[in-house]
Amino acid sequence: GAGVSQSPRYKVAKRGQDVALRCDPISGHVSLFWYQQALGQGPEFLTYFQNEAQLDKSGLPSDRFFAERPEGSVSTLKIQRTQQEDSAVYLCASSQDRVSYEQYFGPGTRLTVT
Amino acid sequence: DQQVKQNSPSLSVQEGRISILNCDYTNSMFDYFLWYKKYPAEGPTFLISISSIKDKNEDGRFTVFLNKSAKHLSLHIVPSQPGDSAVYFCAARPTGGTSYGKLTFGQGTILTVHP
């Protein structure tokens, strides 16, 4: 079956531009996570959805970051007025339900802000 | 503060020998631990996990050991193969209460297995 997919795979943005990153989770997966991975570091939690409800956004670095999952499947992470420090790989993961331990990751979107 | 630490940025091992990757954590609320493997330009893939009620979990060539009193876990790969060359991330999560599975990752260890 299809895994988690993300698009675009690579995005170059000029400082100040807005970007939108898309995540298609595994069909039927209830939980969806966004992580940010800086170069040479491990992924860091950004936000969590259970179905369409955003239950935790404590990891979002600033109010320029916004995520949504309006129908409980596809999710979009939006970054407004991008800054150079936003350059990173953005990973999306999904899991079957709230208590499932295993998260399945997508390939990530590499964002470069110039 | 880094709640999950992998203090070795890299490890080089000969094919057929044992690879040992280490991970330390500070948050005593963590009670489920996972290892992920990551190839370049791909997302992390789940490898093996362990609950805090166990001290060992084995899956083929991969074994994870947990020492709760020391807040330390390790991943053993025996025998190591060139295809095991990747970045390995240790991750931890709390269970119970309002937890929903948010993972805290270490910085990763680059494993290189030489033929």
Side-chain angles (χ1 to χ4, degrees), chain B residues 24-91:
Chain B
D24 296 292
Y25 63 97
T26 57
N27 189 338
S28 55
M29 296 299 292
F30 291 147
D31 64 1
Y32 197 83
F33 305 90
L34 307 91
W35 284 93
Y36 279 82
K37 174 178 177 180
K38 186 181 184 303
Y39 292 118
E42 295 182 13
T45 55
F46 171 75
L47 197 56
I48 192 169
S49 62
I50 188 166
S51 164
S52 60
I53 61 173
K54 295 186 174 182
D55 55 16
K56 177 182 174 181
N57 189 27
E58 199 170 346
D59 183 2
R61 297 186 296 114
F62 302 91
T63 303
V64 56
F65 296 91
L66 175 62
N67 182 333
K68 270 192 77 174
S69 60
K71 292 190 174 70
H72 177 84
L73 63 155
S74 61
L75 174 68
H76 292 211
I77 306 174
V78 183
S80 302
Q81 299 173 354
D84 296 328
S85 297
V87 181
Y88 288 78
F89 290 101
C90 168

Side-chain angles (χ1 to χ4, degrees), chain A residues 32-44:
Chain A
L32 186 144
F33 303 80
W34 283 97
Y35 293 87
Q36 179 190 58
Q37 185 177 14
L39 192 64
Q41 301 296 316
E44 290 196 4

